[in-house]
Amino acid sequence: MALSGLVLVLFVMGHMLGNLQIFLGPEVINAYAYKLHELLPASALWAVRLVLLGTIAVHIWAAVTLTLDNRKARPQGYLEDKVVQASYSSRTMRMSGIILLAFIIFHIAHFTVRAVPGMQYESESKESRILEKTEVPLVKDGEAVLKNGQEEMTFNVNDMMVAGFKVWWVSAFYIIATGLLCMHLTHGFSSMFQSVGLRNGLWRRRLDRAALAYGWVVFIGFAIIPIAVMAGLLKQDPTGGLVSQVGETAAITESLEK
Amino acid sequence: MEKTMDLTLKVWRQKSANSTGTFETYGVKDVSEGSSFLEMLDTLSEDLVEKGKEPVAFDHDCREGICGSCSMTINGIPHGPEKATTACQLHMRHFHDGQTITIEPWRAKPFPVIKDLVVDRSPFDRIIQSGGFITSRAGSAVDANAIPISKATADYAMDAAACIGCGACVAACPNASAMLFTGAKVSHMNSLPQGKAEKDRRTLAMVATMDGEGFGGCTNVGECEAACPKSISLDMIAHLNRDYATAQIKNFFKPVA
Ligand code: HEM
Ligand code: SF4
Ligand code: FES
């Protein structure tokens, strides 16, 4: 539980920092996706994916066996059962975990497999320079990157995310799920230290506080993207951030700074 | 003059291990607020005997908070609402006139009810038997303080040794886990020089027995610590986890038993 949890805790932070690049402009987030998909060998991408999925599987397997053992250990409950000091998050790990699993499945179908019906994966713009509807040029310093004299194309992750979060219930689900992730981490982050024996009274107080902070940072870091989209601060950009759109990008940055 | 109170008690009654139990409701009158919880139950039992009924069976022995016998869950909290207090040391002044008090036995698969509030806690004895000992030279008594032990270590071992084996930690845990009890015993013996020889073997053996007895797994929620009449800290569980991980690693390369 603790070791698989640690991998997920670290992944979540990395993933959040990666996602936040959307605020730096479409060309930045698209270039980041390009780096992950094209520059990294496919085998490395798949290795990371398999390790992550394997970690989630281990985490779930540990949670299920633990839950079954614990149910068996208390066949008859109490008529009156008072909670003295256990936190709400610590007592709802199973519930938050199950909903998070549903979220992860939806999330992978949404952004990785890109197979959620009704979601917009293709750019609406039919501008001539867009060769494949979903692709935009890879942009660096406002210019399309050329490779062998051709514009290097990449997937418009920016538009996919913005389009997805324009659907209110998708945004709501992401915000609720990351809120539950915040709760899950508020207990889990500190608990994993206890499970491997690296905690004492002093460090328990410190780690509990760190867990609370970590949970909130992760919540805000993830939830701010759907919120920004709903608030109209992040916009689709069918050119992928080419110079022609710089005025627009500047306008977004300006409104963000306000 | 000392105040008295009238109470309604909802008590778990169960004839034997194999029969199904139910809650019975009784009234007790004129309970003095200076009496202990067990004395209040004694009054109830006298009433019942007078009426030709079976008295309520509950475990008790020292009645001074040191033997760990008086196992009962009072209003949803093992040993009742007072912090760091056994049921026998709980005074009736913490309750008020007209109150309804629910009294239940420990609820855990490894602690089956024998009768009414009495449960079988022999799984704890078997955990102790599997590792709660040290090897030492028998014969004439060893000189006191022959082995120097730092004050910090002695204090720590003393805090761990305060565990009276009452089982409230198991009763309070939503998973019926025995990690606080086992953690206290392991921390006590593993931290002292006399206990070092068997350290890894002890840790693995006591955890294996604990698991084998059917206790649940710890999810670090901390209810045990809140219920413990001896304020055994969660640090003892961390200590057990630490020693267990170390023992497992050592055992992987070279069997410790
Ligand atoms: C607002 C919140 C989130 C956003 C905007 C977001 C965005 C994304 C995107 C765009 C991808 C696909 C990347 C690509 O196509 O290369 C992705 C993949 C993924 N995300 Fe998230 N994510 C969010 C929250 C989460 C959370 C909370 C978790 C886990 C607890 C998570 C776990 C994953 C996983 C496991 C993948 C699959 C990685 C892969 O195999 O490609 N995400 N996310
Ligand atoms: S750890 Fe505390 S609650 Fe558990 S058996 Fe020992 S004294 Fe009782
Ligand atoms: S009767 Fe001995 S501790 Fe309560």
Side-chain angles (χ1 to χ4, degrees):
Chain A
M1 223 58 279
L3 297 182
S4 55
L6 176 65
V7 175
L8 296 176
V9 161
L10 296 177
F11 163 73
V12 156
M13 180 52 79
H15 189 36
M16 182 197 91
L17 294 175
N19 290 346
L20 286 176
Q21 295 177 61
I22 195 174
F23 287 106
L24 301 177
E27 67 281 8
V28 178
I29 188 81
N30 288 352
Y32 170 64
Y34 177 81
K35 255 181 245 153
L36 291 184
H37 284 268
E38 309 299 332
L39 299 188
L40 216 65
S43 56
L45 179 62
W46 275 103
V48 172
R49 285 177 173 175
L50 287 179
V51 167
L52 277 175
L53 292 177
T55 309
I56 293 176
V58 169
H59 202 66
I60 293 171
W61 173 80
V64 168
T65 48
L66 184 65
T67 305
L68 293 180
D69 275 359
N70 292 352
R71 290 256 167 86
K72 254 195 281 167
R74 161 101 13 98
Q76 176 158 18
Y78 292 98
L79 180 69
E80 234 180 278
D81 202 352
K82 271 207 198 92
V83 175
V84 185
Q85 70 172 26
S87 67
Y88 185 73
S89 305
S90 75
R91 290 181 290 117
T92 50
M93 291 299 274
R94 277 159 218 162
M95 237 21 248
S96 55
I98 289 168
I99 301 172
L100 277 173
L101 175 63
F103 167 72
I104 291 170
I105 293 169
F106 174 81
H107 179 55
I108 292 177
H110 184 195
F111 283 154
T112 307
V113 184
R114 296 167 196 155
V116 174
M119 292 295 117
Q120 201 182 355
Y121 297 111
E122 304 181 346
S123 174
E124 278 168 315
S125 163
K126 303 275 193 298
E127 275 174 54
S128 58
R129 60 179 321 144
I130 296 167
L131 303 177
E132 270 189 58
K133 276 189 267 173
T134 51
E135 299 230 305
V136 287
L138 177 65
V139 176
K140 200 179 173 200
D141 302 329
E143 302 273 347
V145 175
L146 297 182
K147 204 169 171 184
N148 305 326
Q150 293 252 324
E151 282 183 358
E152 181 69 359
M153 303 306 281
T154 187
F155 181 69
N156 197 346
V157 171
N158 179 77
D159 282 20
M160 174 179 71
M161 281 166 68
V162 174
F165 291 142
K166 274 191 179 153
V167 183
W168 73 268
W169 61 264
V170 172
S171 275
F173 189 27
Y174 272 76
I175 294 167
I176 292 170
T178 46
L180 288 170
L181 181 65
C182 168
M183 279 176 52
H184 204 77
L185 290 172
T186 304
H187 175 70
F189 183 94
S190 178
S191 176
M192 68 189 181
F193 287 90
Q194 173 82 358
S195 296
V196 292
L198 299 177
R199 206 170 80 163
N200 63 15
L202 177 64
W203 278 96
R204 182 158 126 221
R205 283 188 293 282
R206 289 177 179 166
L207 286 166
D208 282 352
R209 257 179 264 141
L212 194 66
Y214 197 87
W216 276 97
V217 166
V218 164
F219 172 57
I220 293 169
F222 277 121
I224 196 152
I225 297 176
I227 290 172
V229 170
M230 297 302 269
L233 296 175
L234 289 173
K235 291 194 169 59
Q236 271 168 296
D237 181 350
T239 72
L242 267 185
V243 181
S244 55
Q245 294 296 100
V246 155
E248 161 110 313
T249 318
I252 295 172
T253 336
E254 211 174 81
S255 58
L256 264 181
E257 277 164 0
K258 276 189 230 155
Chain B
M1 218 194 68
E2 208 180 36
K3 270 195 270 173
T4 62
M5 57 186 94
D6 295 347
L7 299 164
T8 306
L9 304 180
K10 245 194 215 163
V11 188
W12 181 258
R13 302 303 309 262
Q14 183 173 336
K15 272 206 171 61
S16 68
N18 301 320
S19 56
T20 47
T22 53
F23 282 97
E24 296 285 344
T25 307
Y26 306 104
V28 277
K29 291 210 175 317
D30 300 327
V31 176
S32 110
E33 62 167 13
S35 63
S36 76
F37 200 84
L38 300 193
E39 283 165 339
M40 184 275 293
L41 284 181
D42 292 337
T43 328
L44 169 67
S45 289
E46 277 169 23
D47 278 1
L48 290 174
V49 169
E50 259 172 41
K51 290 180 189 145
K53 289 187 191 155
E54 184 83 0
V56 177
F58 59 90
D59 256 336
H60 61 107
D61 186 21
C62 70
R63 296 209 178 199
E64 57 180 26
I66 56 168
C67 75
S69 298
C70 50
S71 54
M72 58 189 77
T73 301
I74 302 164
N75 280 346
I77 304 174
H79 290 300
E82 278 301 289
K83 225 178 141 48
T85 308
T86 54
C88 60
Q89 292 281 290
L90 177 65
H91 283 86
M92 292 313 294
R93 60 174 168 271
H94 299 297
F95 298 88
H96 60 78
D97 189 42
Q99 197 175 348
T100 300
I101 305 175
T102 309
I103 310 170
E104 304 173 65
W106 289 170
R107 295 291 189 196
K109 180 92 191 294
F111 289 167
V113 173
I114 298 171
K115 188 176 183 181
D116 297 340
L117 303 174
V118 182
V119 298
D120 175 9
R121 275 171 299 176
S122 57
F124 271 10
D125 300 338
R126 291 190 284 277
I127 294 174
I128 294 289
Q129 277 160 14
S130 66
F133 51 82
I134 58 161
T135 307
S136 71
R137 183 177 60 89
S140 57
V142 184
D143 279 348
N145 299 330
I147 305 169
I149 298 169
S150 75
K151 170 95 167 73
T153 304
D155 285 352
Y156 178 80
M158 217 37 166
D159 286 347
C163 167
I164 53 179
C166 65
C169 43
V170 174
C173 175
N175 314 316
S177 167
M179 284 291 276
L180 195 63
F181 166 78
T182 312
K185 299 305 170 195
V186 162
S187 304
H188 167 205
M189 310 201 90
N190 283 6
S191 58
L192 290 172
Q194 291 92 331
K196 287 284 192 278
E198 289 95 355
K199 179 169 171 269
D200 298 321
R201 198 206 69 81
R202 165 186 308 120
T203 311
L204 296 181
M206 288 177 81
V207 169
T209 311
M210 175 184 82
D211 289 343
E213 292 289 346
F215 292 103
C218 180
T219 53
N220 302 330
V221 304
E223 282 297 285
C224 53
E225 182 189 60
C228 176
K230 297 294 147 187
S231 300
I232 301 292
S233 135
L234 294 183
D235 289 11
M236 305 296 170
I237 296 183
H239 190 148
L240 171 59
N241 284 332
R242 191 160 61 239
D243 284 359
Y244 185 74
T246 319
Q248 281 283 14
I249 293 168
K250 286 197 206 162
N251 192 51
F252 179 80
F253 293 103
K254 188 165 144 297
V256 297

